[in-house]
Amino acid sequence: MNSVFTAEGCAILIAIERFIQEADKSYILCSDSLSVLKSLESLHRKSPTISLQIGSAVIRAIPRSTAIKLVWVPAHVGITINEQADEAAKAARISDVNIYPCISTEDIRKVIFRVQADQGRIQWESTKYFRSFTHLPKTTKTPLLPRRKEILLTRLRTRSLPTKAILFKVGLESSPLCRQCGIVDSNDHLLLSCTVFEQLRNNLRASLGIGALHYNWICTISTFNRRACSAVLHFLQSTNLF
């Protein structure tokens, strides 16, 4: 459960508590964990748990030694003793031996949040309302389009555009049928066959450079493809339905 930060801090803590014993010696502890060493430079009550424990261990160990130094040694690959320490660390990951009974409160909190999130996801995926849209592209953290256009594309991809069929289900339309075509006014009908928007559809095909439109193919158009996205959005906005 411990993070890499806590695990590397535990190594320093074990070294201080178990090996600094002789009062007439000076000790140098080498570590490649710069983050742990930096956290020890300015300890306060909100410092990570392992950093506070190391600080307390140093205070207790000072009377037992002449001097204690913590040194950052970056990229010490090839040093025999360090290679042995790395092998021991790898073996400890699959060992049943309780090397040190320390789990930081920060890491426990992260584990609890992760478990709760996984449980919520599993419960949601097991309900009848869950539907996986595997054909949709992965989302990005950086928005590539304005918010309103992103919403419009998402409605298109999830077949939730406010057509008469959708509005009829929620009681906002008296009939699900298209007034012009006389068939159910679904998202597929709007995009692929409604005669009212035939000219707009021809323009869309010309902009995309294809002979026939396919709903699922349009849904896979990435927002990184700005030209294609603009053509699809222009079609939707030109219908004056949204």
Side-chain angles (χ1 to χ4, degrees):
M1 294 184 182
N2 280 327
S3 63
V4 174
F5 178 89
T6 301
E8 292 176 333
C10 280
I12 297 175
L13 184 59
I14 293 172
I16 295 172
E17 292 186 341
R18 297 188 182 179
F19 299 103
I20 297 181
Q21 301 294 338
E22 301 182 33
D24 59 342
K25 288 187 176 181
S26 297
Y27 295 88
I28 299 177
L29 276 67
C30 298
S31 174
D32 63 350
S33 179
L34 182 61
S35 57
V36 174
L37 298 180
K38 283 290 186 181
S39 71
L40 297 174
E41 291 183 347
S42 56
L43 289 176
H44 50 83
R45 63 184 182 87
K46 292 186 178 181
S47 294
T49 303
I50 190 64
S51 300
L52 295 174
Q53 291 178 333
I54 294 173
S56 299
V58 169
I59 293 174
R60 293 193 302 270
I62 287 177
R64 303 197 304 264
S65 63
T66 303
I68 301 174
K69 293 183 179 180
L70 301 178
V71 179
W72 177 50
V73 184
H76 44 220
V77 177
I79 300 176
T80 303
I81 296 178
N82 180 73
E83 297 293 345
Q84 293 173 355
D86 287 344
E87 291 299 323
K90 294 176 182 177
R93 295 185 60 186
I94 58 175
S95 173
D96 295 330
V97 179
N98 189 0
I99 298 175
Y100 195 82
C102 173
I103 300 177
S104 72
T105 55
E106 299 88 357
D107 295 335
I108 283 288
R109 189 180 299 112
K110 290 179 181 178
V111 170
I112 292 174
F113 287 159
R114 185 169 64 249
V115 170
Q116 288 178 333
D118 289 342
Q119 289 178 344
R121 177 182 54 79
I122 293 172
Q123 290 177 355
W124 161 240
E125 291 180 355
S126 63
T127 64
K128 65 178 181 179
Y129 302 104
F130 174 77
R131 183 181 177 188
S132 178
F133 297 96
T134 56
H135 63 282
L136 300 183
K138 294 182 178 180
T139 58
T140 58
K141 293 183 178 179
T142 304
L144 301 176
L145 294 171
R147 176 67 174 166
R148 293 179 65 86
K149 293 183 178 181
E150 286 280 5
I151 292 174
L152 193 55
L153 278 180
T154 300
R155 286 181 172 178
L156 172 71
R157 290 164 174 168
T158 57
R159 284 181 165 83
S160 58
L161 292 170
T163 57
K164 289 175 66 65
I166 297 291
L167 298 178
F168 175 75
K169 287 183 178 181
V170 296
L172 297 179
E173 281 284 352
S174 59
S175 171
L177 303 181
C178 173
R179 293 188 180 91
Q180 184 72 19
C181 306
I183 61 176
V184 176
D185 186 25
S186 63
N187 282 256
D188 294 76
H189 169 70
L190 168 70
L191 186 64
L192 304 177
S193 60
C194 184
T195 57
V196 177
F197 309 117
E198 186 60 32
Q199 183 58 49
L200 292 175
R201 196 172 297 111
N202 292 335
N203 295 338
L204 177 60
R205 283 196 290 264
S207 299
L208 297 177
I210 58 177
L213 296 176
H214 300 279
Y215 202 109
N216 287 342
W217 178 82
I218 292 177
C219 291
T220 61
I221 294 176
S222 171
T223 48
F224 289 99
N225 189 344
R226 293 185 178 274
R227 183 185 63 81
C229 277
S230 296
V232 174
L233 287 168
H234 177 72
F235 172 85
L236 295 175
Q237 292 170 332
S238 297
T239 62
N240 297 321
L241 298 178
F242 316 105

PDB file of all heavy atoms in Angstrom, residues 173-193:
ATOM      1  N   GLU A 173     -42.995  16.350 -26.566  1.00  0.00           N
ATOM      2  CA  GLU A 173     -43.544  16.321 -27.917  1.00  0.00           C
ATOM      3  C   GLU A 173     -44.754  15.390 -27.919  1.00  0.00           C
ATOM      4  O   GLU A 173     -44.785  14.391 -27.184  1.00  0.00           O
ATOM      5  CB  GLU A 173     -42.510  15.838 -28.935  1.00  0.00           C
ATOM      6  CG  GLU A 173     -41.497  16.895 -29.354  1.00  0.00           C
ATOM      7  CD  GLU A 173     -42.064  17.917 -30.313  1.00  0.00           C
ATOM      8  OE1 GLU A 173     -43.209  17.730 -30.775  1.00  0.00           O
ATOM      9  OE2 GLU A 173     -41.362  18.903 -30.603  1.00  0.00           O
ATOM     10  N   SER A 174     -45.734  15.713 -28.752  1.00  0.00           N
ATOM     11  CA  SER A 174     -46.944  14.893 -28.818  1.00  0.00           C
ATOM     12  C   SER A 174     -46.767  13.659 -29.691  1.00  0.00           C
ATOM     13  O   SER A 174     -47.561  12.721 -29.626  1.00  0.00           O
ATOM     14  CB  SER A 174     -48.113  15.735 -29.348  1.00  0.00           C
ATOM     15  OG  SER A 174     -47.799  16.253 -30.641  1.00  0.00           O
ATOM     16  N   SER A 175     -45.739  13.659 -30.537  1.00  0.00           N
ATOM     17  CA  SER A 175     -45.510  12.533 -31.443  1.00  0.00           C
ATOM     18  C   SER A 175     -44.010  12.380 -31.711  1.00  0.00           C
ATOM     19  O   SER A 175     -43.298  13.384 -31.807  1.00  0.00           O
ATOM     20  CB  SER A 175     -46.241  12.755 -32.765  1.00  0.00           C
ATOM     21  OG  SER A 175     -45.868  11.775 -33.726  1.00  0.00           O
ATOM     22  N   PRO A 176     -43.527  11.138 -31.867  1.00  0.00           N
ATOM     23  CA  PRO A 176     -42.106  10.931 -32.176  1.00  0.00           C
ATOM     24  C   PRO A 176     -41.801  10.977 -33.667  1.00  0.00           C
ATOM     25  O   PRO A 176     -40.653  10.800 -34.061  1.00  0.00           O
ATOM     26  CB  PRO A 176     -41.846   9.530 -31.620  1.00  0.00           C
ATOM     27  CG  PRO A 176     -43.140   8.820 -31.819  1.00  0.00           C
ATOM     28  CD  PRO A 176     -44.224   9.868 -31.612  1.00  0.00           C
ATOM     29  N   LEU A 177     -42.819  11.221 -34.502  1.00  0.00           N
ATOM     30  CA  LEU A 177     -42.643  11.146 -35.946  1.00  0.00           C
ATOM     31  C   LEU A 177     -42.181  12.477 -36.534  1.00  0.00           C
ATOM     32  O   LEU A 177     -42.579  13.554 -36.073  1.00  0.00           O
ATOM     33  CB  LEU A 177     -43.954  10.722 -36.609  1.00  0.00           C
ATOM     34  CG  LEU A 177     -44.558   9.397 -36.152  1.00  0.00           C
ATOM     35  CD1 LEU A 177     -45.837   9.123 -36.915  1.00  0.00           C
ATOM     36  CD2 LEU A 177     -43.567   8.263 -36.291  1.00  0.00           C
ATOM     37  N   CYS A 178     -41.365  12.385 -37.555  1.00  0.00           N
ATOM     38  CA  CYS A 178     -40.917  13.569 -38.296  1.00  0.00           C
ATOM     39  C   CYS A 178     -42.087  14.108 -39.114  1.00  0.00           C
ATOM     40  O   CYS A 178     -42.761  13.353 -39.825  1.00  0.00           O
ATOM     41  CB  CYS A 178     -39.749  13.194 -39.203  1.00  0.00           C
ATOM     42  SG  CYS A 178     -39.226  14.523 -40.317  1.00  0.00           S
ATOM     43  N   ARG A 179     -42.343  15.387 -39.029  1.00  0.00           N
ATOM     44  CA  ARG A 179     -43.487  15.978 -39.736  1.00  0.00           C
ATOM     45  C   ARG A 179     -43.318  15.872 -41.248  1.00  0.00           C
ATOM     46  O   ARG A 179     -44.307  15.777 -41.983  1.00  0.00           O
ATOM     47  CB  ARG A 179     -43.633  17.444 -39.326  1.00  0.00           C
ATOM     48  CG  ARG A 179     -44.032  17.655 -37.884  1.00  0.00           C
ATOM     49  CD  ARG A 179     -44.344  19.117 -37.616  1.00  0.00           C
ATOM     50  NE  ARG A 179     -44.737  19.360 -36.230  1.00  0.00           N
ATOM     51  CZ  ARG A 179     -43.891  19.672 -35.259  1.00  0.00           C
ATOM     52  NH1 ARG A 179     -42.592  19.791 -35.543  1.00  0.00           N
ATOM     53  NH2 ARG A 179     -44.311  19.861 -34.023  1.00  0.00           N
ATOM     54  N   GLN A 180     -42.104  15.898 -41.737  1.00  0.00           N
ATOM     55  CA  GLN A 180     -41.862  15.874 -43.175  1.00  0.00           C
ATOM     56  C   GLN A 180     -41.851  14.449 -43.733  1.00  0.00           C
ATOM     57  O   GLN A 180     -42.421  14.176 -44.791  1.00  0.00           O
ATOM     58  CB  GLN A 180     -40.512  16.541 -43.490  1.00  0.00           C
ATOM     59  CG  GLN A 180     -40.178  16.657 -44.960  1.00  0.00           C
ATOM     60  CD  GLN A 180     -41.032  17.698 -45.665  1.00  0.00           C
ATOM     61  OE1 GLN A 180     -41.617  18.567 -45.020  1.00  0.00           O
ATOM     62  NE2 GLN A 180     -41.108  17.619 -47.005  1.00  0.00           N
ATOM     63  N   CYS A 181     -41.199  13.520 -43.005  1.00  0.00           N
ATOM     64  CA  CYS A 181     -41.004  12.166 -43.531  1.00  0.00           C
ATOM     65  C   CYS A 181     -42.022  11.166 -43.014  1.00  0.00           C
ATOM     66  O   CYS A 181     -42.218  10.108 -43.629  1.00  0.00           O
ATOM     67  CB  CYS A 181     -39.597  11.669 -43.182  1.00  0.00           C
ATOM     68  SG  CYS A 181     -38.277  12.782 -43.725  1.00  0.00           S
ATOM     69  N   GLY A 182     -42.646  11.445 -41.876  1.00  0.00           N
ATOM     70  CA  GLY A 182     -43.637  10.540 -41.326  1.00  0.00           C
ATOM     71  C   GLY A 182     -43.076   9.306 -40.651  1.00  0.00           C
ATOM     72  O   GLY A 182     -43.802   8.349 -40.399  1.00  0.00           O
ATOM     73  N   ILE A 183     -41.768   9.296 -40.379  1.00  0.00           N
ATOM     74  CA  ILE A 183     -41.154   8.180 -39.661  1.00  0.00           C
ATOM     75  C   ILE A 183     -40.543   8.704 -38.368  1.00  0.00           C
ATOM     76  O   ILE A 183     -40.479   9.916 -38.135  1.00  0.00           O
ATOM     77  CB  ILE A 183     -40.077   7.472 -40.516  1.00  0.00           C
ATOM     78  CG1 ILE A 183     -38.952   8.451 -40.870  1.00  0.00           C
ATOM     79  CG2 ILE A 183     -40.684   6.903 -41.779  1.00  0.00           C
ATOM     80  CD1 ILE A 183     -37.805   7.807 -41.634  1.00  0.00           C
ATOM     81  N   VAL A 184     -40.104   7.786 -37.506  1.00  0.00           N
ATOM     82  CA  VAL A 184     -39.560   8.183 -36.203  1.00  0.00           C
ATOM     83  C   VAL A 184     -38.369   9.102 -36.401  1.00  0.00           C
ATOM     84  O   VAL A 184     -37.414   8.784 -37.129  1.00  0.00           O
ATOM     85  CB  VAL A 184     -39.154   6.932 -35.395  1.00  0.00           C
ATOM     86  CG1 VAL A 184     -38.489   7.355 -34.091  1.00  0.00           C
ATOM     87  CG2 VAL A 184     -40.372   6.071 -35.106  1.00  0.00           C
ATOM     88  N   ASP A 185     -38.437  10.240 -35.742  1.00  0.00           N
ATOM     89  CA  ASP A 185     -37.385  11.253 -35.872  1.00  0.00           C
ATOM     90  C   ASP A 185     -36.258  10.955 -34.887  1.00  0.00           C
ATOM     91  O   ASP A 185     -36.092  11.631 -33.877  1.00  0.00           O
ATOM     92  CB  ASP A 185     -37.979  12.639 -35.617  1.00  0.00           C
ATOM     93  CG  ASP A 185     -36.976  13.750 -35.871  1.00  0.00           C
ATOM     94  OD1 ASP A 185     -36.034  13.534 -36.663  1.00  0.00           O
ATOM     95  OD2 ASP A 185     -37.122  14.825 -35.247  1.00  0.00           O
ATOM     96  N   SER A 186     -35.463   9.943 -35.195  1.00  0.00           N
ATOM     97  CA  SER A 186     -34.344   9.544 -34.340  1.00  0.00           C
ATOM     98  C   SER A 186     -33.087  10.301 -34.745  1.00  0.00           C
ATOM     99  O   SER A 186     -33.078  11.046 -35.733  1.00  0.00           O
ATOM    100  CB  SER A 186     -34.101   8.043 -34.450  1.00  0.00           C
ATOM    101  OG  SER A 186     -33.731   7.723 -35.786  1.00  0.00           O
ATOM    102  N   ASN A 187     -32.012  10.081 -34.010  1.00  0.00           N
ATOM    103  CA  ASN A 187     -30.744  10.708 -34.351  1.00  0.00           C
ATOM    104  C   ASN A 187     -30.240  10.214 -35.704  1.00  0.00           C
ATOM    105  O   ASN A 187     -29.710  10.999 -36.499  1.00  0.00           O
ATOM    106  CB  ASN A 187     -29.706  10.408 -33.264  1.00  0.00           C
ATOM    107  CG  ASN A 187     -29.899  11.265 -32.031  1.00  0.00           C
ATOM    108  OD1 ASN A 187     -29.172  12.220 -31.795  1.00  0.00           O
ATOM    109  ND2 ASN A 187     -30.892  10.935 -31.216  1.00  0.00           N
ATOM    110  N   ASP A 188     -30.409   8.910 -35.979  1.00  0.00           N
ATOM    111  CA  ASP A 188     -29.989   8.368 -37.274  1.00  0.00           C
ATOM    112  C   ASP A 188     -30.792   8.998 -38.411  1.00  0.00           C
ATOM    113  O   ASP A 188     -30.241   9.304 -39.470  1.00  0.00           O
ATOM    114  CB  ASP A 188     -30.180   6.851 -37.271  1.00  0.00           C
ATOM    115  CG  ASP A 188     -29.261   6.149 -36.299  1.00  0.00           C
ATOM    116  OD1 ASP A 188     -29.527   6.205 -35.080  1.00  0.00           O
ATOM    117  OD2 ASP A 188     -28.273   5.567 -36.740  1.00  0.00           O
ATOM    118  N   HIS A 189     -32.096   9.183 -38.194  1.00  0.00           N
ATOM    119  CA  HIS A 189     -32.946   9.794 -39.222  1.00  0.00           C
ATOM    120  C   HIS A 189     -32.498  11.221 -39.507  1.00  0.00           C
ATOM    121  O   HIS A 189     -32.395  11.629 -40.674  1.00  0.00           O
ATOM    122  CB  HIS A 189     -34.399   9.782 -38.757  1.00  0.00           C
ATOM    123  CG  HIS A 189     -35.312  10.606 -39.615  1.00  0.00           C
ATOM    124  ND1 HIS A 189     -35.656  10.241 -40.896  1.00  0.00           N
ATOM    125  CD2 HIS A 189     -35.952  11.793 -39.371  1.00  0.00           C
ATOM    126  CE1 HIS A 189     -36.453  11.153 -41.409  1.00  0.00           C
ATOM    127  NE2 HIS A 189     -36.651  12.103 -40.522  1.00  0.00           N
ATOM    128  N   LEU A 190     -32.211  11.966 -38.468  1.00  0.00           N
ATOM    129  CA  LEU A 190     -31.779  13.355 -38.639  1.00  0.00           C
ATOM    130  C   LEU A 190     -30.495  13.430 -39.452  1.00  0.00           C
ATOM    131  O   LEU A 190     -30.386  14.220 -40.399  1.00  0.00           O
ATOM    132  CB  LEU A 190     -31.573  14.005 -37.270  1.00  0.00           C
ATOM    133  CG  LEU A 190     -30.855  15.361 -37.259  1.00  0.00           C
ATOM    134  CD1 LEU A 190     -31.741  16.442 -37.864  1.00  0.00           C
ATOM    135  CD2 LEU A 190     -30.436  15.745 -35.860  1.00  0.00           C
ATOM    136  N   LEU A 191     -29.526  12.600 -39.100  1.00  0.00           N
ATOM    137  CA  LEU A 191     -28.214  12.705 -39.719  1.00  0.00           C
ATOM    138  C   LEU A 191     -28.153  12.064 -41.103  1.00  0.00           C
ATOM    139  O   LEU A 191     -27.450  12.561 -41.990  1.00  0.00           O
ATOM    140  CB  LEU A 191     -27.166  12.037 -38.814  1.00  0.00           C
ATOM    141  CG  LEU A 191     -25.702  12.165 -39.239  1.00  0.00           C
ATOM    142  CD1 LEU A 191     -25.273  13.633 -39.193  1.00  0.00           C
ATOM    143  CD2 LEU A 191     -24.809  11.332 -38.335  1.00  0.00           C
ATOM    144  N   LEU A 192     -28.931  11.006 -41.328  1.00  0.00           N
ATOM    145  CA  LEU A 192     -28.726  10.199 -42.528  1.00  0.00           C
ATOM    146  C   LEU A 192     -29.812  10.290 -43.591  1.00  0.00           C
ATOM    147  O   LEU A 192     -29.532  10.073 -44.775  1.00  0.00           O
ATOM    148  CB  LEU A 192     -28.551   8.718 -42.135  1.00  0.00           C
ATOM    149  CG  LEU A 192     -27.446   8.406 -41.132  1.00  0.00           C
ATOM    150  CD1 LEU A 192     -27.452   6.927 -40.806  1.00  0.00           C
ATOM    151  CD2 LEU A 192     -26.092   8.835 -41.663  1.00  0.00           C
ATOM    152  N   SER A 193     -31.062  10.584 -43.199  1.00  0.00           N
ATOM    153  CA  SER A 193     -32.119  10.418 -44.206  1.00  0.00           C
ATOM    154  C   SER A 193     -33.197  11.490 -44.246  1.00  0.00           C
ATOM    155  O   SER A 193     -33.986  11.503 -45.194  1.00  0.00           O
ATOM    156  CB  SER A 193     -32.793   9.058 -44.000  1.00  0.00           C
ATOM    157  OG  SER A 193     -33.374   8.974 -42.707  1.00  0.00           O
TER     158      SER A 193
END
